[in-house]
Amino acid sequence: MPYEFKITRRVEFADTDMAGIMHYSNLFRFMETAEHAFFRSLGLSIVTTQTDPPVGWPRVHAACDFKKPLRFEDEVEIHLLVAAKKSKALTYLFIFRKLNAPEPIEVARGKLTVVCVTRDGRGKMKAAAIPARVASQIKVAPVKLLT
Amino acid sequence: MPYEFKITRRVEFADTDMAGIMHYSNLFRFMETAEHAFFRSLGLSIVTTQTDPPVGWPRVHAACDFKKPLRFEDEVEIHLLVAAKKSKALTYLFIFRKLNAPEPIEVARGKLTVVCVTRDGRGKMKAAAIPARVASQIKVAPVKLLT
Amino acid sequence: MPYEFKITRRVEFADTDMAGIMHYSNLFRFMETAEHAFFRSLGLSIVTTQTDPPVGWPRVHAACDFKKPLRFEDEVEIHLLVAAKKSKALTYLFIFRKLNAPEPIEVARGKLTVVCVTRDGRGKMKAAAIPARVASQIKVAPVKLLT
Amino acid sequence: MPYEFKITRRVEFADTDMAGIMHYSNLFRFMETAEHAFFRSLGLSIVTTQTDPPVGWPRVHAACDFKKPLRFEDEVEIHLLVAAKKSKALTYLFIFRKLNAPEPIEVARGKLTVVCVTRDGRGKMKAAAIPARVASQIKVAPVKLLT
């Protein structure tokens, strides 16, 4: 029952801005990339018809501390850790490390809280219990990894 | 019955890349911005429940010639002209002009062909006649404006 | 000496994702849009040659609470408030309100801390005092507006 | 001396729009991803200090025909082929194939013409001969592959 996942991405030209560094909004996209790959690694999809009813995962809170800039062609490890698991919500910690360096360097640290929702007939979202199929596969990371 | 529309946008920081200019993919976003504002100017929405059945407008062809770079905070006029109107498709010409200059300067010229589609029960898209409510409001621009 | 600024933007098609709502990363882009328009309203630019030496404003912290979804063509007021002003850093609060509703509805609330930097000859960034020309024009908003 | 390159990418959630498919502007980002990986495969970088003077590659023409939609988590092969090589410009053809299908399906076909430029002291771009180090490594694909 995993509590972490790692994926590597390369900073693309279109991710940069005129300051010559990756635009900060793109780190939030990278967080989601890791979250969705984590689900796939469990045999799940974040966009699922595998549960009845289907559920979605809107974000209710996102945060990021930016420590060092990321530049074009940098290789970034996005290390996802499950920081909290409630009946209807999950919180992830993300540690970004630049790999193309003598030693991997932590460049940013993010957090994302997502809520499990179902939709009524008119598409309106309502918080719902995380389906057992998902919840049974995810556990919270040891505290020492989260600090 | 209009055949053109103009809208002005400012290049944002997140639109730029490390070359210090607007990333070329964003001009395709700006084309769409003008297309959708054109529809709103006609009392329509590109995402419509105003027609029965509802229709969508996937892009089948897009092109752009980039003549001069656009930079942060540049004011850009996006001039949409209806270049062709078929029973199931529309083609738009877009002329981009930088306004913060002694004289407006043409910086790019784009083209977009969109097809009117409906969706079957499983979401599969199928080309369909442009609804009268839309078609009756749009005409092709005079040739001299299109060259 | 202003402590707030408001700007309105419309959610574009390209801002949405397959969940039918604005992708959460785009609210961070909207925050920056308001920040940069705030600077312009003061006769400044975030990308400046108006100060000697020129300064940049990398983000060191960003956060957002998402309360209600934003959808295509929603009109969003981005209300920037200066939440903190230090010698080398500024913190902004952003209140997002959906205007196309019977009453404006608060849909999200964000925070951004930016640090003033100069660059050495090799482009490396170093925290620097906010130039007087900028600092003298900005003050912190009254506490009651920040809570 | 290569004339082609292939790279695979997965469609991400943030790449989709409310129509449930990848936003068309993102195919232009994917083209660039393939172009830059092609350069890396040759031991080069599109952002180079390897040539004297350094050169840049602004886009002067881009086009794409969209045949079938791409959806979240689709695996896309981006097949780059060098379609033309002039003294100061390169043209690439891109064939997009969806791999998660019984047989790979061509979903789109794009074209990109880029010009080699140097910058003068004030940053103004000027077309320049492709450096030998780059030109010597790239050749035009056989005609039969380009049609």
Side-chain angles (χ1 to χ4, degrees):
Chain A
M1 204 160 72
Y3 54 76
E4 67 178 340
F5 183 76
K6 289 180 180 181
I7 189 171
T8 299
R9 264 191 75 153
R10 194 184 290 276
V11 176
E12 302 196 351
F13 196 82
D15 294 327
T16 64
D17 60 35
M18 65 182 292
I21 63 179
M22 182 152 92
H23 192 262
Y24 84 113
S25 66
N26 289 323
L27 280 100
F28 292 98
R29 296 174 64 131
F30 276 26
M31 289 185 206
E32 206 175 69
T33 301
E35 175 200 10
H36 296 180
F38 173 54
F39 264 55
R40 279 196 297 278
S41 75
L42 303 175
L44 302 167
S45 174
I46 205 80
V47 178
T48 186
T49 53
Q50 297 167 318
T51 59
D52 180 19
V55 296
W57 299 92
R59 279 85 255 274
V60 293
H61 179 72
C64 196
D65 288 298
F66 308 94
K67 298 173 184 182
K68 293 187 178 297
L70 285 167
R71 297 180 194 280
F72 177 55
E73 293 190 336
D74 278 349
E75 278 178 276
V76 192
E77 177 187 86
I78 311 157
H79 183 179
L80 172 154
L81 291 141
V82 179
K85 180 183 165 184
K86 297 193 178 166
S87 64
K88 300 179 179 177
L90 292 170
T91 297
Y92 302 106
L93 171 69
F94 299 90
I95 304 171
F96 294 83
R97 294 185 191 94
K98 178 175 153 178
L99 298 183
N100 53 322
E103 298 273 317
I105 301 169
E106 183 177 324
V107 293
R109 194 169 272 239
K111 209 162 218 180
L112 207 52
T113 299
V114 300
V115 170
C116 184
V117 300
T118 52
R119 285 171 185 267
D120 66 20
R122 290 161 50 219
K124 206 172 154 64
M125 298 183 286
K126 197 187 148 188
I130 298 173
R133 177 167 182 160
V134 177
S136 67
Q137 292 199 64
I138 298 175
K139 71 173 175 184
V140 174
V143 171
K144 64 178 178 188
L145 294 180
L146 296 172
T147 47
Chain B
M1 205 161 71
Y3 54 75
E4 67 178 341
F5 183 76
K6 289 180 181 181
I7 189 171
T8 300
R9 263 192 75 154
R10 193 185 291 276
V11 176
E12 302 196 351
F13 195 83
D15 294 328
T16 64
D17 60 35
M18 64 182 291
I21 63 179
M22 182 153 92
H23 192 259
Y24 84 115
S25 66
N26 290 323
L27 280 100
F28 292 97
R29 296 174 63 131
F30 276 26
M31 290 185 205
E32 206 175 69
T33 300
E35 175 200 11
H36 295 181
F38 173 53
F39 264 56
R40 278 196 298 277
S41 76
L42 303 175
L44 302 167
S45 174
I46 207 78
V47 178
T48 187
T49 53
Q50 297 167 318
T51 59
D52 180 19
V55 296
W57 299 92
R59 280 86 255 274
V60 293
H61 180 72
C64 195
D65 290 297
F66 308 94
K67 299 173 184 181
K68 292 187 179 297
L70 284 167
R71 297 180 195 280
F72 177 55
E73 295 191 334
D74 277 350
E75 279 178 276
V76 192
E77 178 187 86
I78 311 157
H79 183 180
L80 173 154
L81 291 140
V82 179
K85 179 183 166 184
K86 298 193 178 166
S87 64
K88 300 178 179 178
L90 292 169
T91 297
Y92 302 106
L93 170 69
F94 299 90
I95 304 171
F96 294 83
R97 295 185 190 94
K98 178 177 154 177
L99 298 183
N100 52 322
E103 298 273 318
I105 302 168
E106 183 176 324
V107 292
R109 192 170 275 239
K111 208 163 219 180
L112 208 51
T113 299
V114 299
V115 170
C116 184
V117 300
T118 53
R119 286 171 184 267
D120 66 20
R122 290 161 49 220
K124 207 174 152 62
M125 298 183 285
K126 197 187 148 188
I130 299 173
R133 177 168 182 160
V134 178
S136 67
Q137 291 199 65
I138 297 175
K139 70 172 175 183
V140 174
V143 171
K144 64 177 178 188
L145 294 180
L146 297 172
T147 49
Chain C
M1 204 160 72
Y3 54 75
E4 67 178 339
F5 183 76
K6 290 180 179 181
I7 189 171
T8 299
R9 263 192 76 152
R10 194 184 291 276
V11 176
E12 301 195 353
F13 196 83
D15 294 327
T16 64
D17 60 36
M18 65 182 293
I21 64 179
M22 182 153 93
H23 192 260
Y24 84 113
S25 65
N26 289 322
L27 280 100
F28 292 98
R29 296 174 62 131
F30 276 26
M31 289 185 206
E32 206 174 70
T33 301
E35 175 200 10
H36 296 180
F38 173 55
F39 264 56
R40 279 195 298 278
S41 76
L42 303 175
L44 303 166
S45 174
I46 206 78
V47 178
T48 186
T49 53
Q50 297 167 317
T51 58
D52 180 19
V55 294
W57 299 92
R59 279 85 256 274
V60 292
H61 180 72
C64 195
D65 289 298
F66 308 94
K67 299 172 185 182
K68 293 186 179 296
L70 284 167
R71 297 181 194 280
F72 177 55
E73 294 191 335
D74 277 349
E75 280 177 276
V76 192
E77 178 187 85
I78 311 157
H79 183 178
L80 172 155
L81 291 141
V82 179
K85 179 183 166 184
K86 298 194 177 166
S87 64
K88 300 178 179 178
L90 291 170
T91 297
Y92 302 105
L93 170 70
F94 299 90
I95 303 171
F96 294 84
R97 294 184 191 95
K98 179 176 153 178
L99 298 183
N100 53 321
E103 299 273 318
I105 301 170
E106 183 176 324
V107 292
R109 193 170 272 240
K111 208 163 218 181
L112 208 51
T113 299
V114 300
V115 169
C116 184
V117 300
T118 53
R119 285 172 185 268
D120 67 21
R122 290 161 50 220
K124 205 173 154 62
M125 297 183 287
K126 198 187 149 187
I130 299 173
R133 177 169 182 160
V134 178
S136 67
Q137 291 199 64
I138 297 176
K139 70 172 174 183
V140 174
V143 171
K144 64 178 178 187
L145 294 181
L146 297 172
T147 48
Chain D
M1 205 161 71
Y3 54 76
E4 67 178 340
F5 183 76
K6 289 181 181 181
I7 190 172
T8 300
R9 262 191 76 154
R10 194 184 290 275
V11 176
E12 302 195 353
F13 196 84
D15 293 329
T16 65
D17 60 35
M18 64 182 293
I21 63 179
M22 182 152 92
H23 193 260
Y24 86 113
S25 65
N26 289 323
L27 280 100
F28 292 98
R29 295 175 64 132
F30 277 25
M31 290 185 204
E32 207 174 68
T33 300
E35 175 200 10
H36 296 179
F38 173 55
F39 264 55
R40 278 195 298 277
S41 76
L42 303 175
L44 302 167
S45 174
I46 206 78
V47 178
T48 187
T49 54
Q50 298 168 316
T51 59
D52 179 19
V55 296
W57 298 92
R59 281 83 255 275
V60 293
H61 179 72
C64 195
D65 289 298
F66 308 95
K67 299 173 184 182
K68 292 186 179 297
L70 284 166
R71 297 180 194 280
F72 177 55
E73 294 190 336
D74 278 350
E75 278 178 278
V76 192
E77 178 187 87
I78 311 156
H79 183 178
L80 172 154
L81 291 142
V82 179
K85 179 183 165 184
K86 298 193 177 166
S87 65
K88 300 179 179 175
L90 292 170
T91 297
Y92 303 105
L93 171 69
F94 299 90
I95 304 171
F96 294 83
R97 295 185 190 93
K98 178 176 153 177
L99 298 183
N100 53 322
E103 298 273 317
I105 302 168
E106 183 176 324
V107 293
R109 194 168 271 240
K111 210 163 217 181
L112 207 51
T113 300
V114 299
V115 170
C116 184
V117 300
T118 52
R119 285 170 186 267
D120 66 20
R122 289 161 50 220
K124 206 173 154 62
M125 297 183 286
K126 197 187 149 188
I130 299 173
R133 176 166 181 162
V134 178
S136 68
Q137 292 199 64
I138 297 175
K139 70 173 174 184
V140 174
V143 171
K144 62 178 178 186
L145 295 181
L146 297 172
T147 48

